[in-house]
Amino acid sequence: MARIVDEAQNVVGEKIKKYRMERKLSQKDLSEKLEVYAIYICRGSISRIESHERTVTDFELRAMAKVLCVSIEELYEEKNI
């Protein structure tokens, strides 16, 4: 079932992109590394997550945090807090 929506549906997309780029991973690299955790998200879906167009499940979020070597809390932190 597709999880594509019309308005911003996740608050972690910007941070996922930030940490992915800091680690010099392409969207395809991130997609492939998530497979180790049995999370199958194509490159296009990574793009939609980063642009807040796709929701993220708790299982996906946990695996992304592991791949990006950050805590889940770091993915939720706001810029000016």
Side-chain angles (χ1 to χ4, degrees), residues 6-45:
D6 290 336
E7 55 187 64
Q9 291 294 306
N10 75 61
V11 297
V12 297
E14 187 176 317
K15 288 293 185 101
I16 289 170
K17 182 175 183 177
K18 173 188 179 287
Y19 290 121
R20 176 183 62 77
M21 294 180 77
E22 284 179 2
R23 281 135 186 85
K24 297 180 177 27
L25 295 172
S26 68
Q27 291 174 337
K28 185 174 187 278
D29 294 335
L30 178 56
S31 174
E32 290 172 355
K33 289 181 180 292
L34 288 169
E35 290 182 13
V36 172
Y37 299 97
I39 301 295
Y40 303 98
I41 303 175
C42 69
R43 189 222 50 86
S45 289

Side-chain angles (χ1 to χ4, degrees), residues 49-66:
I49 289 167
E50 291 180 352
S51 63
H52 308 279
E53 298 171 16
R54 180 187 179 282
T55 59
V56 182
T57 67
D58 54 352
F59 293 102
E60 293 169 339
L61 187 63
R62 182 174 55 194
M64 285 184 191
K66 287 180 182 179

Side-chain angles (χ1 to χ4, degrees), residues 1 3-4 29 37 46 54 56 62 65 67 73 81:
M1 180 162 77
R3 291 185 299 267
I4 300 171
D29 294 335
Y37 299 97
I46 298 288
R54 180 187 179 282
V56 182
R62 182 174 55 194
V67 168
E73 291 79 15
I81 292 183

